[in-house]
Amino acid sequence: MIKCLCIDDEPLALQQLAAYVKKIPYLELVGECQSALDAKAIMERDMVDAIFIDINMPDLNGMDFVRSLAAPPIVVFTTAYSEYAVDGYKVDAVDYLLKPFGLNDFQRAAAKVKKQYELLNAQPTVVSTPDEDDALFLKTDYKVVRVNISEIRYVEGMSEYLKIHFENRKPIVVLLSMKKLEERLPDYFMRIHRSYIINLKCIQEVNKNRVILDADTFLPIGDLYREAFNNYLNSKFLGK
């Protein structure tokens, strides 16, 4: 099931949007809210695969909200103003629904969401060598490169892509889901945020809600992952 969040400041529009989601068998409604700020709180707490979001909203409009996300989910914009369509595609929205839209229009958008979801969660091109557990091969820029897992410092989610940061080489960007890579990493890696996986051996300091890897790298700890990370710290902690 594709976990969806509906966001619209108009109660009737939000109600209709949520009703359409419930009619699609492969979509699961995990929440509905009337502001981008409320949506952000839900997304920090719960896993969300896709959002259906109005553009014109008070405080923070839908376009700016999506741009503010380090790793946006699959996005479908809804609005009454057709001039936003081009901007919608600039932020990699999979579709744009012009109000008022009916169930048929919504079904077409939902099909695009499903296609994108299946692409992101397909078996990736990641092959570990049988005699070297530390090695992976990843596709990037139309070539396959070798990656030594122990040299990875952290992984950063960027929409449907991942940016992998290393100790002594430039980062690489791969088309891969965070979940798929997480499954292939050993237990000295931990996800601390919906957008970050870190090499626990690279931690220099933990300061409030941040993990510090070096003087220039401060990574947030998400609410959803805080308990597991604190359990790890407690298992290593010496002192009163």
Side-chain angles (χ1 to χ4, degrees), residues 18-53:
Y20 284 160
V21 169
K22 293 174 183 177
K23 290 179 181 292
I24 307 299
Y26 50 82
L27 300 183
E28 177 186 349
L29 183 66
V30 297
E32 43 189 294
C33 46
Q34 293 182 247
S35 77
L37 298 179
D38 290 342
K40 186 173 184 179
I42 292 174
M43 292 171 67
E44 288 176 349
R45 184 184 70 239
D46 301 324
M47 181 61 67
V48 175
D49 300 310
I51 58 174
F52 295 85
I53 181 170

Side-chain angles (χ1 to χ4, degrees), residues 176-237:
L176 191 63
S177 73
M178 188 77 83
K179 180 181 178 182
K180 290 295 183 182
L181 182 59
E182 187 178 11
E183 290 172 353
R184 301 298 295 269
L185 294 174
D187 58 8
Y188 58 87
F189 284 85
M190 179 176 286
R191 192 164 182 176
I192 61 166
H193 188 274
R194 66 189 307 270
S195 302
Y196 294 104
I197 297 172
I198 64 168
N199 184 334
L200 296 169
K201 297 179 181 180
C202 294
I203 296 175
Q204 298 298 315
E205 185 178 333
V206 179
N207 187 343
K208 295 183 179 178
N209 295 322
R210 301 184 301 175
V211 173
I212 301 172
L213 302 187
D214 57 45
D216 300 314
T217 309
F218 304 79
L219 304 180
I221 303 169
D223 291 340
L224 192 62
Y225 307 93
R226 192 181 312 281
E227 182 178 356
F229 183 68
N230 286 340
N231 289 341
Y232 165 76
L233 289 182
N234 290 335
S235 72
K236 302 294 182 180
F237 185 74

